[in-house]
């Protein structure tokens, strides 16, 4: 039997709160400007839906799922990277650590690209408010989201 992905029985809104609390992000999120909150919330939705944690490698995987498994635009990516909160996070983590994590995840990207083709449709990056009241399990069934990667 396949292991159940985390937060399946919670609504997406509840799962986002649980994700932030579990990873110690609640206060950091609360302190953000509203525009930044929207971008980081969308990023956190990818973590929740694909069952990813906040390790550097799984952050890199979340970025892969965002690029291949959502309808994010290049403008959205640029806007996200221009946020002072994102720049501060990069500075906090450090470019060397980020580069190592991306290198460790380099073999994950082709797998993510292939698996994203099997989704029923791409996750909506911006227009997803209606899904907040759905359970995470229901969203995963709707989009055909399975375990993000085996490791």
């Amino acid at each position: 039997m396949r292991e159940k992905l985390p937060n399946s029985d919670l609504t997406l809104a509840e799962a986002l709160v649980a994700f932030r609390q579990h990873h110690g992000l609640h206060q950091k999120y609360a302190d953000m400007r509203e525009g930044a909150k929207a971008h980081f919330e969308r990023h956190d939705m990818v973590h929740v839906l694909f069952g990813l944690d906040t390790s550097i490698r799984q952050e890199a995987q979340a970025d892969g799922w965002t690029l291949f498994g959502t309808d994010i635009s290049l403008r959205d990516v640029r806007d996200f990277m221009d946020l002072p909160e994102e720049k501060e996070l990069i500075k906090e983590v450090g470019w060397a650590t980020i580069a190592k994590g991306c290198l460790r995840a380099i073999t994950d990207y082709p797998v993510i690209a292939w698996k994203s083709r099997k989704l029923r449709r791409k996750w909506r990056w911006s227009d997803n408010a209606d899904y907040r009241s759905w359970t995470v399990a229901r969203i995963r069934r709707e989009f055909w989201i399975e375990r993000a990667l085996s490791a």
Side-chain angles (χ1 to χ4, degrees), residues 47-98:
H47 277 275
V48 167
L49 294 175
F50 291 94
L52 300 167
D53 64 30
T54 58
S55 66
I56 294 298
R57 183 170 184 178
Q58 290 195 18
E59 283 290 349
Q61 290 175 0
D63 292 343
W65 280 109
T66 299
L67 292 172
F68 296 114
T70 76
D71 65 359
I72 193 170
S73 69
L74 290 177
R75 182 183 186 135
D76 290 325
V77 172
R78 188 189 71 227
D79 290 348
F80 189 70
M81 295 304 292
D82 284 343
L83 290 171
E85 291 85 348
E86 178 65 9
K87 290 178 181 179
E88 181 60 34
L89 181 62
I90 290 170
K91 185 178 174 183
E92 184 181 309
V93 173
W95 279 108
T97 302
I98 292 169

Side-chain angles (χ1 to χ4, degrees), residues 79-150:
D79 290 348
F80 189 70
M81 295 304 292
D82 284 343
L83 290 171
E85 291 85 348
E86 178 65 9
K87 290 178 181 179
E88 181 60 34
L89 181 62
I90 290 170
K91 185 178 174 183
E92 184 181 309
V93 173
W95 279 108
T97 302
I98 292 169
K100 283 186 222 171
C102 289
L103 284 173
R104 286 186 187 120
I106 199 97
T107 58
D108 299 336
Y109 296 129
V111 177
I112 290 169
W114 178 254
K115 284 183 154 213
S116 70
R117 294 178 54 134
K118 295 180 180 184
L119 297 175
R120 181 177 284 169
R121 63 182 181 275
K122 291 185 174 203
W123 173 250
R124 294 187 293 192
W125 181 252
S126 301
D127 185 25
N128 54 38
D130 294 345
Y131 292 101
R132 295 176 133 283
S133 62
W134 287 32
T135 65
V136 173
R138 181 178 173 197
I139 295 168
R140 289 174 178 151
R141 281 191 309 272
E142 178 72 20
F143 286 82
W144 291 359
I145 296 171
E146 294 183 7
R147 177 155 304 285
L149 291 176
S150 57

Side-chain angles (χ1 to χ4, degrees), residues 17-30 54 92:
V17 170
F19 173 81
R20 287 187 203 110
Q21 287 176 338
H22 178 76
H23 294 288
L25 302 171
H26 187 71
Q27 191 58 49
K28 186 176 271 196
Y29 180 80
T54 58
E92 184 181 309

